Amino acid sequence: APGGLQPADIAPSMGAASQVTGTAQFHGQVSWTRAGAGRGSGRLRLRLQSLSSAPGTVHDLDADIALSALTPAVIAHDQAISIGKIDGVVPLTDLTARFDLDRDQVNLLGAQAVLAHGHVRLEPTVILFAAGSSLAGALDFDHVRLGELIAASSLADAIQTDAVVDGRVPFQISAKGIVISHGELAAVGPGRLSISRKALSAGAPAAGQAGFAQDLAYQAMENLAFDHLDASLNSLPNDRLAILFHIKGRHEPPTRQRARIAIGDLLRGKALSKPIALPSGTPINLTLDSSLNFGELVRALRQAWRESLGSASVQAKPVKGGEP
């Protein structure tokens, strides 16, 4: 419990798990003969109501893990862990993972969770313990609400959407950071998209035909009903993530509108000098190239992780009757 026994009191290496509330039980055995000691076996049971972590507070962690050896520790094949919820910018719920572990690596057989009212799955991957090792894997998205993910990113002021998407995003994690290559997302059905004119405009439109065309483009992106939407994701230099959208749909403002041009302006050759409403139902075929500061998010998570380590080491107390 907070203020009581914590994982860091037992082993400093577990200091990252701070402010833990719950129970942990372990039963094991070590046998030996004249030839020497055996490797032993055991079972670890965790029932944790909450614990602090870098991504956010973890709620309702449940695990019943068999160890096929104790010296060194080896987790038996295909063990499971479940988590009710991980708080975060976009919360994860109903997370489950299956794995095994030996002295060199963790074999993650698969993991899945509910994200933004859909499901996200981590494909099988291997996590090596050796210093300098990298991790490669892929996330599969199934009916995830893209708008909730965008709302949690630096694109929140620029884009709003109710798109529900499927997709696959390969990634690699190393000392250099997180790299995403050839990620693909696609809407599973029609939806709506609104892209802020302020976010797209570097200034007021120029006068004349160029300004007229630009204004129509802004109108098209502010109230867009799409029939098709897909996006590709790739890492860029300087820790940025490029997102390239392809969208096909039509202009659909809240109130139906028609284009009107005054006869006087037409006769004077000034028909395009004033804003003209883009007619409702105008077909739209849009390619939008944007990017977000993905590295900033990663650095924030790392800083939170370091702070949790420091906090745990400061709060660690001597176990009663033992050494600090």
Side-chain angles (χ1 to χ4, degrees):
L5 184 67
Q6 289 289 297
D9 297 328
I10 301 171
S13 61
M14 294 191 290
S18 62
Q19 299 301 306
V20 179
T21 301
T23 63
Q25 297 177 327
F26 177 77
H27 299 273
Q29 65 173 8
V30 177
S31 59
W32 60 91
T33 66
R34 294 178 182 272
R39 298 182 66 189
S41 62
R43 181 172 292 275
L44 174 66
R45 298 189 59 144
L46 300 175
R47 302 290 185 270
L48 307 181
Q49 286 76 54
S50 67
L51 65 94
S52 298
S53 70
T57 302
V58 176
H59 302 274
D60 299 324
L61 184 151
D62 194 339
D64 189 350
I65 300 171
L67 288 84
S68 57
L70 302 180
T71 54
V74 176
I75 292 179
H77 179 66
D78 198 11
Q79 300 299 295
I81 185 171
S82 65
I83 294 174
K85 181 181 179 181
I86 300 179
D87 293 333
V89 178
V90 181
L92 285 171
T93 60
D94 301 322
L95 187 149
T96 59
R98 306 197 72 86
F99 64 98
D100 51 58
L101 173 149
D102 59 31
R103 69 175 69 188
D104 299 318
Q105 62 190 37
V106 173
N107 299 310
L108 192 54
L109 307 177
Q112 63 179 3
V114 174
L115 172 69
H117 295 85
H119 290 85
V120 59
R121 298 180 180 87
L122 177 63
E123 296 178 4
T125 188
V126 175
I127 304 173
L128 299 174
F129 295 148
S133 298
S134 61
L135 166 65
L139 291 172
D140 297 322
F141 294 88
D142 180 13
H143 285 66
V144 172
R145 294 187 181 179
L146 182 61
E148 294 188 21
L149 302 184
I150 291 177
S153 75
S154 61
L155 295 174
D157 294 335
I159 300 176
Q160 295 179 340
T161 181
D162 62 359
V164 178
V165 300
D166 289 349
R168 183 175 185 270
V169 179
F171 64 87
Q172 185 174 28
I173 302 175
S174 67
K176 296 180 179 180
I178 301 176
V179 175
I180 293 175
S181 300
H182 306 296
E184 298 290 342
L185 299 174
V188 298
R192 294 191 64 89
L193 175 68
S194 176
I195 304 174
S196 167
R197 176 184 299 225
K198 180 179 178 181
L200 293 167
S201 175
Q209 187 170 352
F212 166 76
Q214 188 181 55
D215 182 72
L216 291 182
Y218 290 155
Q219 291 185 60
M221 290 184 282
E222 286 176 327
N223 292 286
L224 198 164
F226 64 81
D227 299 311
H228 171 85
L229 178 148
D230 65 60
S232 59
L233 298 85
N234 286 282
S235 292
L236 294 174
N238 301 318
D239 290 332
R240 298 195 69 83
L241 179 65
I243 307 177
L244 184 64
F245 290 96
H246 296 102
I247 306 161
K248 292 182 180 180
R250 61 197 175 279
H251 181 53
E252 195 173 276
T255 303
R256 186 167 181 80
Q257 59 189 32
R258 300 172 62 184
R260 290 182 169 86
I261 301 175
I263 293 178
D265 291 336
L266 182 62
L267 294 175
R268 290 193 300 269
K270 296 183 178 181
L272 304 183
S273 62
K274 297 179 180 179
I276 298 175
L278 182 67
S280 296
T282 300
I284 296 170
N285 190 338
L286 171 67
T287 297
L288 175 64
D289 193 349
S290 186
S291 68
L292 60 85
N293 194 340
F294 188 65
E296 182 177 332
L297 173 62
V298 173
R299 285 191 291 273
L301 290 174
R302 286 178 174 172
Q303 179 62 28
W305 184 254
R306 287 193 292 267
E307 289 176 357
S308 69
L309 285 171
S311 173
S313 63
V314 170
Q315 296 173 3
K317 299 178 181 180
V319 178
K320 185 175 181 180
E323 294 297 323

